[in-house]
Amino acid sequence: MHPPVDLAEDLERFNARLATYLKPEDITRVGAAYVFSDAAHRGQMRVSGGPYITHPLAVAETLAGWHLDAHALMAALLHDVMEDTSITKEQIAERFGKVAAELVDGVSKLDRIEHQSFEEAQAENFRKMLLAMARDVRVILIKLADRLHNMQTLDAMRPEKRRRIARETLDIYAPIANRLGLNALYRELQELAFRHAHPLRYRVLSKAVKGARGNRREVVSKILDAIRQALPAAGIDADVKGREKHLYGIYRKMRDKHLSFSQVLDIYGFRIIVKDRPTCYLALGALHALYQPVPGKFKDYIAIPKANGYQSLHTTLIGPFGTPAEIQIRDADMHHVAESGVASHWLYKDETTLDQLQKKTHKWLQSLVELQSASGDSSEFLEHVKVDLFPGEVYVFSPRGKIFALPRGSTPVDLAYAVHTDIGDRCVACRINFETMPLRTELRNGDRVEIITEPNAAPNPAWLGYVKSARARSKIRHFLNTRHAEESAALGERLLSHALRDLGLALAKLPAQAWERFKRASGARSQKAVLAEIGLGKRLPAIVARRLAEGVESTNAATEARGKQAILIHGPEGVAVKLGNCCRPIPGDPIVGLIRKGQGLVVHTHDCTAIAKLRSERGNWVDVEWEADIKGMFEASIRVIAKNVRGVLARIAAGIAEAGSNIVNISMDDDSGEATTLFFTLQVTDRIHLARILRSLRRVPEVVRITRYVDAKPRKEN
């Protein structure tokens, strides 16, 4: 149980803190907000047993610790009144001003929409809050303070709810605190969440750390004494502190690196605060002379700050008895930003170092607006934000020397989208440190990356398998979704026109009333949405055509056109029209189309064995033909039986190249006899091009036999 609440004492402490930095008139306004909130929540109790007003007061007190302004403090005191009472946003605006009302609205959850799952409602609430935060960062500071107090009083909740809230805190709120540079809050949220999400692990690890504390006290004390003597001897005045790493950090290291507790030696760290930036580097030199540094463990976050504005020198030294000691070196200004992050704007307004931090924060907040516009729904937006909150970073250079900070594991595609959306969309290749490399190459610190583009290039869906940044992921998805919708609607229009012609009707001449009647009956949003669903196979064109035709007279012209036209296939493959992987049809092959739900139109060869069992699905079959002047490259597979002699593969590859084709894939049977079987996937323009390739290969003396390999059933080409 929680100790009894002394509200008078809490209020007195809060007012004393306000008096240290607010004007008397602002303190009066904040006091009025407290009285208003107390009256609105009167009779409501927290699950922990105290009066509800203790929660908004605790939130406001945290913000006062950051020296936030009166508007933010009033909003903190009022942040639950719109959700939990009958008070409206308009009433708050009238009484306390528009700014405070907007802040309260930004923090307030949306009303639960009917038929929405809990997860969908949560995602929508996150989207609302994060977009409000993009307009005013005080929204998220209020929400973080709110989450902190909820986590501090979480013991009163049911175990399953504790675990859910703790998981949410680790996934969303702690990373946001980290992204905004609120390191002290970040660590506290992680510790509290770890305790509630994994109570047994927390207790075991806590006990182990206490035991190790006694064993390692002597070593830590030796390192501290040595540092405190070495720095003044080098003429450096410094504040040196030892600190125990927080439990969640130790747990994460054990989990990620598969270590036992006894293998985690660096559970203690040391922080050194000096007067200015040059002294940081002098202190580093003095420490490296004192103890041996660990290679690869030095990081200069002063020259290249983290995305959240954090600056420090990090190094790891081998202390007495081989104990590693992690050291952070920074000046006082850097320390303020490291602990308070974006809240330093209110705490330390004179510091020039905050300008860069504010710019970085503003840039990230604006990127949230971009993510929102490129995301299909709230769940996708939340997924993108989670990716963006990934803490690790890698720093790379453009050819002109500009530094880009990207999530660890990023690829050149991530960099292309970080530069500009158009660069990302048109990216086709890259050079890393002057060498041509695949686009999926993982970037490393210090890489120099040049992006190569082509005007007509487009994002590849395969990129989603390896990009790491939220911006790249959302932009690729947005492009593919837009193209998907457009291609599906275009295919749907062709399929529906075809079905309407069979009924003696022309799509272009359908009256608007027919569409309105159909949309009302089917619940469709728009005509384009109906066409897209037809193209994706979610609606059958024949059924939609019959419903649209109800009460509409057919025309003679449309009747004459019945059945004369098939669906034309314009190119190799789109999003809504796909060529069957089983038979790999190419122009010149007799083809048939099959509409499958969620797949759109899939084109097969007439004799494809994979579709034989689907002959009964008569309503899903569509007449298709290759367009007369079709362009593009298509994939075709061939099987070559050749004599097993030295250089045969090179001669076959040369024959393929001479015929103007490119090899996409090659494999061979494990055959040590006189002959070997080779399988090629080639790029061809049509059936005639394939025949030319086969003729070229027959001229290779070692080739015994060639067949086109289709649907695991070879067909001989004459």
Side-chain angles (χ1 to χ4, degrees):
M1 291 295 291
H2 289 275
V5 176
D6 189 339
L7 193 54
E9 187 182 315
D10 290 348
L11 192 56
E12 186 179 334
R13 188 175 62 248
F14 176 59
N15 285 324
R17 183 166 282 181
L18 296 186
T20 61
Y21 75 99
L22 280 185
K23 297 175 184 174
E25 57 269 29
D26 286 337
I27 295 174
T28 303
R29 291 161 66 206
V30 173
Y34 171 82
V35 171
F36 186 89
S37 180
D38 187 28
H41 289 297
R42 189 150 297 156
Q44 293 179 357
M45 305 295 284
R46 299 204 83 213
V47 179
S48 55
Y52 196 88
I53 189 62
T54 57
H55 171 62
L57 181 60
V59 173
E61 192 172 349
T62 298
L63 299 185
W66 294 331
H67 289 193
L68 258 68
D69 59 8
H71 291 298
L73 295 171
M74 288 189 290
L77 289 165
L78 300 165
H79 78 269
D80 276 333
V81 296
M82 281 173 58
E83 278 182 49
D84 299 344
T85 74
S86 57
I87 305 294
T88 64
K89 180 181 174 182
E90 288 70 28
Q91 287 173 289
I92 295 172
E94 188 180 335
R95 183 77 184 270
F96 300 102
K98 188 179 177 183
V99 174
E102 288 292 342
L103 292 174
V104 173
D105 183 53
V107 180
S108 298
K109 294 189 186 78
L110 295 165
D111 290 333
R112 181 76 174 271
I113 301 167
E114 200 178 349
H115 308 307
Q116 229 184 18
S117 70
F118 177 79
E119 289 75 19
E120 287 169 337
Q122 282 292 81
E124 187 59 45
N125 284 321
F126 280 126
R127 173 151 77 168
K128 174 179 182 279
M129 178 189 72
L130 290 170
L131 291 178
M133 159 186 160
R135 291 192 297 272
D136 192 328
V137 75
R138 288 174 293 184
V139 168
I140 197 63
L141 293 177
I142 295 168
K143 189 65 186 177
L144 288 171
D146 169 60
R147 178 52 58 118
L148 175 64
H149 188 247
N150 282 334
M151 292 301 296
Q152 289 167 340
T153 56
L154 202 57
D155 288 323
M157 295 291 181
R158 298 188 313 276
E160 64 273 15
K161 191 168 184 180
R162 283 208 301 270
R163 282 191 293 272
R164 179 180 61 74
I165 293 172
R167 189 75 258 162
E168 188 179 83
T169 301
L170 284 174
D171 286 349
I172 298 289
Y173 291 104
I176 287 176
N178 181 41
R179 190 62 182 72
L180 294 176
L182 298 155
N183 281 341
L185 177 66
Y186 168 59
R187 288 192 296 270
E188 187 171 357
L189 286 175
Q190 280 190 329
E191 287 295 273
L192 290 166
F194 177 41
R195 179 160 69 86
H196 291 292
H198 304 290
L200 183 59
R201 295 177 206 182
Y202 181 89
R203 284 197 297 272
V204 169
L205 198 54
S206 180
K207 189 175 179 182
V209 169
K210 279 177 186 171
R213 191 180 295 154
N215 299 337
R216 300 181 193 179
R217 186 174 291 137
E218 186 184 345
V219 178
V220 173
S221 156
K222 273 190 175 183
I223 295 172
L224 266 176
D225 290 343
I227 292 173
R228 284 173 177 157
Q229 287 171 24
L231 292 178
I236 298 166
D237 183 25
D239 178 19
V240 183
K241 290 178 182 172
R243 61 185 183 88
E244 197 173 88
K245 285 194 170 182
H246 59 299
L247 292 180
Y248 184 70
I250 298 170
Y251 166 70
R252 196 163 59 181
K253 190 165 191 174
M254 289 168 63
R255 184 193 63 193
D256 295 348
K257 297 191 177 180
H258 306 290
L259 303 173
S260 65
F261 179 73
S262 60
Q263 292 172 301
V264 183
L265 298 172
D266 52 341
I267 63 169
Y268 285 93
F270 301 87
R271 182 172 295 142
I272 297 165
I273 299 173
V274 296
K275 63 177 182 179
D276 55 26
R277 180 183 291 213
T279 313
C280 292
Y281 293 95
L282 291 174
L284 179 73
L287 292 175
H288 281 190
L290 176 65
Y291 291 125
Q292 183 80 23
V294 178
K297 288 289 187 178
F298 169 65
K299 292 187 179 73
D300 189 346
Y301 291 121
I302 294 179
I304 305 176
K306 287 189 177 184
N308 60 14
Y310 176 90
Q311 288 183 290
S312 278
L313 296 178
H314 286 199
T315 188
T316 302
L317 310 175
I318 300 296
F321 312 112
T323 306
E326 285 195 359
I327 314 280
Q328 297 173 352
I329 308 168
R330 58 178 78 138
D331 66 23
D333 288 352
M334 294 171 196
H335 183 62
H336 292 324
V337 173
E339 292 303 295
S340 306
V342 74
S344 303
H345 170 68
W346 288 275
L347 269 169
Y348 309 101
K349 293 185 182 177
D350 319 340
E351 294 182 6
T352 54
T353 53
L354 290 174
D355 293 341
Q356 279 301 107
L357 174 59
Q358 287 172 49
K359 285 177 187 172
K360 285 185 175 183
T361 304
H362 179 72
K363 188 176 178 182
W364 180 59
L365 295 177
Q366 290 309 306
S367 76
L368 293 179
V369 179
E370 280 188 42
L371 286 179
Q372 141 72 17
S373 61
S375 300
D377 55 33
S378 300
S379 300
E380 191 177 302
F381 173 65
L382 181 56
E383 180 195 330
H384 291 156
V385 171
K386 281 184 180 180
V387 171
D388 199 40
L389 293 171
F390 190 77
E393 285 165 344
V394 61
Y395 298 92
V396 297
F397 295 88
S398 72
R400 294 184 178 180
K402 185 176 179 182
I403 297 174
F404 288 86
L406 299 168
R408 192 162 296 284
S410 287
T411 64
V413 178
D414 292 284
L415 175 63
Y417 279 102
V419 176
H420 197 278
T421 303
D422 288 345
I423 303 294
D425 286 347
R426 292 186 283 113
C427 152
V428 292
C430 69
R431 278 191 281 270
I432 301 175
N433 302 324
F434 304 101
E435 285 187 38
T436 301
M437 299 291 283
L439 285 174
R440 66 181 310 124
T441 306
E442 192 171 308
L443 297 175
R444 293 177 298 180
N445 275 322
D447 280 345
R448 177 194 179 277
V449 187
E450 181 184 352
I451 303 297
I452 300 162
T453 61
E454 281 186 6
N456 299 320
N460 186 334
W463 292 354
L464 289 171
Y466 52 80
V467 294
K468 285 290 184 285
S469 63
R471 178 181 173 84
R473 190 173 293 276
S474 70
K475 293 295 182 186
I476 295 165
R477 276 187 174 168
H478 180 64
F479 180 91
L480 294 175
N481 289 341
T482 303
R483 190 176 74 173
H484 199 179
E486 289 171 355
E487 285 190 18
S488 299
L491 173 62
E493 187 172 347
R494 286 150 64 196
L495 292 169
L496 185 58
S497 294
H498 198 268
L500 284 167
R501 275 197 300 271
D502 288 345
L503 300 174
L505 295 169
L507 178 60
K509 295 185 178 179
L510 273 181
Q513 298 94 306
W515 275 110
E516 289 301 323
R517 189 171 59 248
F518 178 82
K519 284 190 287 184
R520 280 197 304 273
S522 64
R525 297 191 312 275
S526 65
Q527 181 175 330
K528 187 173 181 179
V530 174
L531 295 175
E533 287 174 354
I534 293 172
L536 288 169
K538 293 179 180 178
R539 293 181 189 269
L540 287 176
I543 294 173
V544 175
R546 281 199 295 273
R547 288 188 179 174
L548 285 169
E550 290 171 4
V552 180
E553 291 184 15
S554 64
T555 64
N556 290 335
T559 306
E560 286 170 14
R562 282 176 64 177
K564 287 186 181 177
Q565 295 180 20
I567 300 295
L568 295 179
I569 304 303
H570 299 289
E573 189 167 341
V575 178
V577 180
K578 296 181 176 65
L579 304 181
N581 285 326
C582 44
C583 52
R584 298 187 190 278
I586 60 175
D589 286 338
I591 51 174
V592 65
L594 181 64
I595 300 173
R596 304 307 303 274
K597 188 169 183 180
Q599 295 179 15
L601 179 63
V602 184
V603 178
H604 297 267
T605 58
H606 268 197
D607 58 352
C608 175
T609 57
I611 61 171
K613 59 188 174 186
L614 303 172
R615 297 287 182 191
S616 59
E617 298 184 23
R618 189 165 296 174
N620 293 345
W621 291 98
V622 178
D623 287 332
V624 290
E625 291 177 2
W626 299 106
E627 195 174 68
D629 58 345
I630 192 165
K631 299 284 191 299
M633 300 299 285
F634 297 77
E635 290 187 0
S637 299
I638 62 170
R639 181 172 66 178
V640 180
I641 299 175
K643 292 175 184 175
N644 197 358
V645 296
R646 187 190 299 270
V648 67
L649 180 57
R651 285 189 282 280
I652 292 172
I656 291 169
E658 282 172 17
S661 179
N662 183 42
I663 300 172
V664 176
N665 188 37
I666 181 171
S667 62
M668 65 179 68
D669 279 347
D670 186 13
D671 192 348
S672 57
E674 289 184 6
T676 186
T677 305
L678 301 146
F679 299 90
F680 294 90
T681 301
L682 310 175
Q683 287 186 328
V684 301
T685 54
D686 54 24
R687 199 177 168 102
I688 295 170
H689 185 198
L690 178 60
R692 193 163 68 246
I693 295 166
L694 299 184
R695 280 197 302 275
S696 173
L697 293 182
R698 287 194 184 99
R699 289 196 289 269
V700 178
E702 292 84 0
V703 171
V704 177
R705 189 177 176 215
I706 311 173
T707 54
R708 181 172 172 193
Y709 201 68
V710 178
D711 190 27
K713 175 187 171 183
R715 289 192 317 200
K716 191 170 180 179
E717 292 292 328
N718 299 317

